[in-house]
Amino acid sequence: MAEGAPRRQPTLDEVTELAGVSRSVASRALNNAPHVSRAKREAVERAVRQLGYVPNPTARALATRQTGAAALVVSGEDPSIFADPFFAQVIVGASAALEEADLHLMLCLAASDRGRKRVEELLRSKGADGVMLMALRENDPLARMAEEAVMPVVFGGRPVGSAPRWYVDVDNVGGAREATEYLVSRGRTRVAAICGRLDTEAGRARYRGYRDAMLAAGLDPFPPQEGDFTEPSGAAAMAALLANHPDLDGVFAANDNMGAGALRTLREAGRLVPADVAVVGFDDLAVAQIADPPLTTVRQPIAALGREMARMLVALINGQDPTPLILPTRLVIRFSA
C-alpha cells in the first residue's frame, strides 16, 4: 500500500466473522439492543477493538429499530392448535434456530377478525424483526397482508394459488404418491383418500399425489373425502367411505390424526387392519406409533420445517436473499399396511 493511502475501514461482516456470531447479533450488540447474551456481546466488543471498527451512522439508525424477536403466525380458529403435535414440533425447531441467532419467538394466532387485525398491525408496524406464516387457507387475508409487510416474511407451506418469494415446504405430492404406490404394491385396488382441508395447499397437494399414483397404476381414484386434519374428522370420513364404498381395501389418510380416526372406525365396524383394509397416514407423529395397529405413514421432517423457516427468516433479517426450500419425505412401514 502506498504511503499516505487511506486505510480501508473494517466492515460489520468482518466483525461478525471474528466474533463468531450472526450479523443480527453483532448489530444488536453494537447498538446496546436487548436480547444479546453477555458472552456474545463481549465477543463482539473484542472484535470491534481488534479491528478498529467504527459503525456507520445510517446502519446504526436502522439497527436500533430491531426488536430482537420473530413471530410465528398461524391462521386457525382454535387456540389449542399450538398444542397439536405437528405445530408443537414446528415451534421446537423454530425456537432452536432463533435461539442460535439470539432472537425470541413470539406466537400469534389469527383466529378471528380481532386476531387478524392484531397480526396486520404487527406486519405494518415492524413489531418484530420478521414473521413466519403457517396454515394459510385459500383467499386468506394474511397472504395479502404479507405482501404489504414492512419486514421479512417466510411462509411455512405455500399458500393456495400463489408462489411467495420465500417459503419452506415438504414434498406433499411425492409423499402422498409414495404412500399410495405402496398400498397398490400390496395388492390393494380399491384405495380411497381421506384428504385434509381442500382450501389448503397441503390438502390439495396430498390428494394430487394420491390421484397421480392411482392413475399411473391404471386404477380409478376415489373422489376426495375431506377432513380437517383432526382425529374425529378422520373417523367421520372413514364412516362415510364405508357407507359409500363398502368394498374398499385401502385408505390413504392425509395426516396421522385422521389415520388414527380411520383405524378407530374400521375397528368399530369389525374390519380387520390390514387384512381387510390397509391404512397409510402422513406426518409420522407419536400417534402413529401408539395407534392400534401401529400406523404405516409418510414421515415429514416437522421440526426441520420449523428450523429451516427460522433460518431462512434470520438470513433475510441479515440482508441475504435465500432460495425456497422443499424438504423430502420417506415412507415408514409399520403394521397397518
Side-chain angles (χ1 to χ4, degrees):
M1 182 181 294
E3 185 177 352
R7 180 177 180 272
R8 184 182 68 82
Q9 290 294 321
T11 66
L12 179 59
D13 287 334
E14 290 171 324
V15 172
T16 295
E17 182 177 359
L18 183 59
V21 299
S22 70
R23 201 173 192 277
S24 60
V25 169
S27 179
R28 292 201 301 276
L30 287 168
N31 291 281
N32 295 317
H35 312 307
V36 180
S37 69
R38 180 176 178 180
K40 291 183 178 181
R41 192 182 299 275
E42 291 175 349
V44 171
E45 291 171 353
R46 284 195 301 271
V48 167
R49 289 194 299 270
Q50 185 173 334
L51 294 171
Y53 173 76
V54 178
N56 178 283
T58 302
R60 177 185 291 272
L62 291 172
T64 55
R65 296 170 58 192
Q66 293 185 335
T67 65
L72 174 62
V73 177
V74 177
S75 181
E77 299 170 352
D78 184 356
S80 67
I81 194 169
F82 287 121
D84 183 290
F86 176 87
F87 285 103
Q89 290 190 43
V90 169
I91 291 168
V92 168
S95 180
L98 292 175
E99 185 176 349
E100 293 174 0
D102 275 358
L103 289 171
H104 287 273
L105 177 63
M106 301 166 52
L107 299 177
C108 303
L109 181 65
S112 62
D113 290 341
R114 182 178 180 182
R116 283 187 289 272
K117 183 68 175 177
R118 293 180 63 185
V119 172
E120 185 172 14
E121 292 172 356
L122 172 74
L123 291 167
R124 288 180 173 176
S125 66
K126 210 175 188 302
D129 293 338
V131 170
M132 297 166 284
L133 287 180
M134 293 197 71
L136 298 193
R137 299 177 185 173
E138 189 173 18
N139 300 319
D140 197 313
L142 286 182
R144 174 188 54 78
M145 296 178 195
E147 293 176 357
E148 302 170 355
V150 296
M151 67 184 72
V153 177
V154 171
F155 287 80
R158 287 159 287 186
V160 174
S162 66
R165 186 171 179 182
W166 298 294
Y167 65 83
V168 180
D169 206 349
V170 298
D171 186 7
N172 289 302
V173 172
R177 184 189 303 117
E178 184 179 15
T180 308
E181 289 172 346
Y182 177 73
L183 286 166
V184 172
S185 75
R186 305 297 289 176
R188 311 299 166 145
T189 59
R190 297 280 294 164
V191 180
I194 299 177
C195 305
R197 297 184 62 114
L198 292 176
D199 60 355
T200 67
E201 180 58 26
R204 293 185 181 187
R206 292 175 192 178
Y207 182 73
R208 284 199 305 274
Y210 154 82
R211 182 194 60 200
D212 291 350
M214 292 289 285
L215 292 173
L219 300 172
D220 293 329
F222 282 51
Q225 186 69 48
E226 189 173 356
D228 63 3
F229 294 113
T230 65
E231 192 271 351
S233 76
M238 189 71 251
L241 284 170
L242 288 176
N244 295 323
H245 309 282
D247 59 342
L248 64 80
D249 59 8
V251 173
F252 165 63
N255 84 334
D256 290 343
N257 291 330
M258 294 190 298
L263 291 177
R264 175 163 61 87
T265 294
L266 288 167
R267 186 168 55 251
E268 292 171 353
R271 300 293 184 97
L272 299 178
V273 178
D276 297 331
V277 182
V279 181
V280 178
F282 200 112
D283 283 341
D284 198 24
L285 298 173
V287 67
Q289 300 179 44
I290 63 175
D292 182 20
L295 186 64
T296 293
T297 189
V298 176
R299 175 178 294 169
Q300 63 163 317
I302 304 173
L305 174 66
R307 183 172 63 250
E308 295 302 328
M309 286 170 54
R311 286 178 175 173
M312 184 174 291
L313 186 62
V314 170
L316 288 168
I317 293 170
N318 290 338
Q320 302 170 31
D321 187 13
T323 57
L325 181 62
I326 303 292
L327 300 174
T329 61
R330 69 179 181 89
L331 187 67
V332 178
I333 299 173
R334 295 195 177 96
F335 296 102
S336 68

